[in-house]
Structures are given as structure tokens and as C-alpha cells.
Amino acid sequence: QVRLLESGGGLVQAGDSLTLSCAASGRTFGSLAAGWFRQAPGKERELLAAISSSGRTWYLDPVKGRFTISRDDAKNTVYLQMDSLKPEDTAVYYCARANELRLTLSEAEYEYWGQGTQVTVSS
């Protein structure tokens, strides 16, 4: 059974940093595409960051320059470094993996999902 397990969420103050991890088990994803999504209360889930097999990245405008997605293929793990956090970053954060090598920006193309981790940023 393929599982993605997020960790690293929590309660922080505005301006703080957090690093989320997404460890996969049950399958070796290698350099296949990965993404981080978030869903705030009352809002739809949105893609924040994505990374392709070649390391090309994409970011949603509100997180550009503050968030960094990376991948450690040997550890079968994807990371999201979040700096200069703002109260509006409060949400449940999800990682996802796709059976694609290219940068994958469509939620529908992600086949594997984690259960989510809560990030709360206080002002």
C-alpha cells in the first residue's frame, strides 16, 4: 500500500519558519513529480508548489520567494520550506505525487495524497 506521510506542521507566529516533510512508503517514487497543496477553512484546495523530475519548480504567486520545494530521492521524501509565514498561510497542507516526470500543475494528475498536516500562523 502506497502511503504519503506529512510531518512538520504546527502553530507558529507570523514571521517564523517551518519545514514540512512528506515521506513515501510502499513505493519508490524516485524523481517523479511532486506537489504541495493547501486548503484553508471555507476555501478550495490550491496548489502551492510543484517540482519536476529535472528539478524545475513552480510556485503560486503568494508564496513565491517565501516557500521552497525540494526532493530527496534517496529518502523518497519531498520537503516544503516555508519562511516569513503569514496568518493567511494558515491551512491544512497536503503533499501529492504524480506518475509524471514533467512539472505537474493539475490537481487531477496527482494520484497519491497524504493525509494533511495543520499549519497555524498567529499574528
Side-chain angles (χ1 to χ4, degrees), residues 12-55:
V12 297
Q13 293 187 328
D16 285 350
S17 297
L18 276 177
T19 300
L20 304 183
S21 299
C22 173
S25 62
R27 174 183 171 172
T28 299
F29 284 95
S31 62
L32 288 176
W36 282 96
F37 294 74
R38 72 182 176 191
Q39 186 168 23
K43 295 187 177 181
E44 293 189 353
R45 188 161 60 187
E46 59 183 357
L47 177 64
L48 295 177
I51 187 167
S52 72
S53 63
S54 65

Side-chain angles (χ1 to χ4, degrees), residues 1-5 22-34 53 71-78 95-101 110-113:
Q1 182 180 2
V2 179
R3 303 182 74 174
L4 301 182
L5 181 63
C22 173
S25 62
R27 174 183 171 172
T28 299
F29 284 95
S31 62
L32 288 176
S53 63
R71 189 183 64 229
D72 186 330
D73 297 343
K75 294 183 178 180
N76 220 16
T77 299
V78 181
C95 70
R97 302 300 300 261
N99 285 311
E100 299 285 350
L101 296 176
Y110 285 92
E111 299 184 38
Y112 303 97
W113 292 83

Side-chain angles (χ1 to χ4, degrees), residues 74-90:
K75 294 183 178 180
N76 220 16
T77 299
V78 181
Y79 304 96
L80 185 68
Q81 173 68 38
M82 305 187 293
D83 298 320
S84 302
L85 283 162
K86 304 176 181 180
E88 50 264 43
D89 294 320
T90 295

Side-chain angles (χ1 to χ4, degrees), residues 52-123:
S52 72
S53 63
S54 65
R56 184 183 173 196
T57 57
W58 174 92
Y59 296 96
L60 190 67
D61 280 348
V63 306
K64 277 183 182 178
R66 298 191 298 124
F67 290 12
T68 304
I69 187 172
S70 62
R71 189 183 64 229
D72 186 330
D73 297 343
K75 294 183 178 180
N76 220 16
T77 299
V78 181
Y79 304 96
L80 185 68
Q81 173 68 38
M82 305 187 293
D83 298 320
S84 302
L85 283 162
K86 304 176 181 180
E88 50 264 43
D89 294 320
T90 295
V92 177
Y93 284 69
Y94 300 88
C95 70
R97 302 300 300 261
N99 285 311
E100 299 285 350
L101 296 176
R102 59 178 170 78
L103 204 59
T104 303
L105 303 184
S106 169
E107 182 172 333
E109 293 186 281
Y110 285 92
E111 299 184 38
Y112 303 97
W113 292 83
Q115 83 291 344
T117 186
Q118 177 70 45
V119 172
T120 303
V121 185
S122 64
S123 57

